[in-house]
């Protein structure tokens, strides 16, 4: 039989991203959100689970946790031996303070020539640390956030990272002071999420070398869990498709709003958002 030459059809630049966060088996957050969103955005998505939980920790009790800290260095060493490298590392909820030094090593040892690191310091919200974390973890997280190209904190996380006192009510000057403190501590680009200057709107404040720019959108009164992970994953997906930081931040915001709208009205679904049926919307935005 003659040899058949099959020509490849390449739709887009194909990026390989490593995402490090937990698997909450049930609950639509962290890896169960990041993997499908990054895949839908067109990227080869490599996962490194930081822990395996039966559910996430917000609103559930009695969940199981298996910390995978011990496995991390061996996995990274195997990848290095196999010359497996990445265009990007994106981290979310980590399992222990020790994991942060392993992630910093991976950022050094597994990077391709052009490489971007995006850190979502998923550790706190509404003025409080999540149950699994303490101030020792915050100290370690500072090393990761301030070494990264881009961080995606919410206001609570940015306060823990900088020592600025958390305020529920604030104005533009307060937000500028948080961003100035982030910059002083070493942050390059910051996408500060959940910045709301009115009752019915919220948005993201993007700070980079060019200055700060605000993207505002509708706010829904009913908070939903997991939206931070949906947001950060869509942001990374858009960024790796070549969108500017601000455009990626805006696309991710619009997608997250659509996910919330798609979940509203279902009181049994407060543990996460129904992000899957809205993936075609994200894909269509990425194609423009
Ligand atoms: O969505 C952030 C997150 C991720 N993973 C776990 C969590 C949370 C927030 O509570 O508990 C296990």
């Amino acid at each position: 039989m003659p040899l058949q030459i099959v020509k490849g059809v390449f739709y887009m630049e194909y990026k390989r991203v490593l995402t490090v966060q937990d698997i909450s088996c049930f609950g639509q957050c962290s890896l169960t959100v990041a993997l499908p969103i990054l895949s839908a955005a067109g990227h080869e998505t490599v996962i490194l689970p930081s822990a395996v939980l039966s559910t996430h920790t917000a609103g559930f009790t009695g969940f199981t946790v298996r910390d995978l800290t011990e496995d991390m260095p061996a996995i990274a060493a195997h990848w290095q031996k196999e010359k497996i490298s990445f265009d990007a590392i994106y981290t979310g909820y980590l399992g222990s303070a020790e994991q942060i030094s392993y992630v910093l090593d991976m950022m050094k040892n597994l990077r391709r020539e052009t490489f971007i690191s995006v850190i979502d310091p998923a550790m706190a919200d509404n003025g409080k640390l999540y149950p699994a974390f303490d101030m020792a973890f915050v100290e370690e997280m500072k090393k990761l956030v301030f070494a990264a190209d881009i961080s995606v904190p919410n206001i609570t996380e940015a306060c823990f990272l900088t020592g600025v006192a958390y305020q529920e009510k604030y104005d533009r000057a307060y937000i500028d002071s948080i961003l100035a403190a982030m910059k002083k501590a070493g942050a390059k680009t910051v996408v500060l999420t959940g910045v709301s200057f009115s009752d019915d709107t919220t948005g993201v404040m993007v700070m980079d070398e060019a200055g700060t720019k605000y993207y505002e959108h509708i706010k829904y009164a009913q908070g939903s869990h997991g939206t931070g992970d949906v947001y950060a994953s869509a942001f990374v997906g858009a960024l790796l498709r070549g969108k500017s930081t601000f455009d990626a931040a805006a696309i991710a915001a619009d997608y997250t709003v659509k996910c919330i709208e798609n979940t509203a009205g279902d009181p049994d679904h407060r543990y996460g958002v129904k992000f899957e049926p809205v993936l075609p919307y994200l894909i269509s935005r990425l194609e423009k």
Side-chain angles (χ1 to χ4, degrees), residues 21-24 27-31 50-51 53 55-59 63 65 92-94 120 122-124 130-133 157 225-230:
Q21 38 194 316
D22 73 280
I23 296 176
S24 286
Q28 285 175 312
C29 69
S30 35
L31 277 185
S50 57
L53 295 88
T55 65
H56 59 64
T57 66
F63 43 81
V65 185
Y93 189 102
L94 297 176
D120 177 356
M123 61 181 179
Y130 294 148
F133 302 121
E157 289 158 347
H225 189 75
T227 49
D229 300 343
V230 167

Side-chain angles (χ1 to χ4, degrees), residues 155 166-172 174-175 194-197 202:
I155 293 176
Y166 176 75
Q167 284 177 210
E168 233 162 68
K169 294 217 178 311
Y170 50 79
D171 55 11
R172 174 70 197 236
Y174 175 73
I175 296 301
V195 177
S196 169
F197 297 117
T202 186

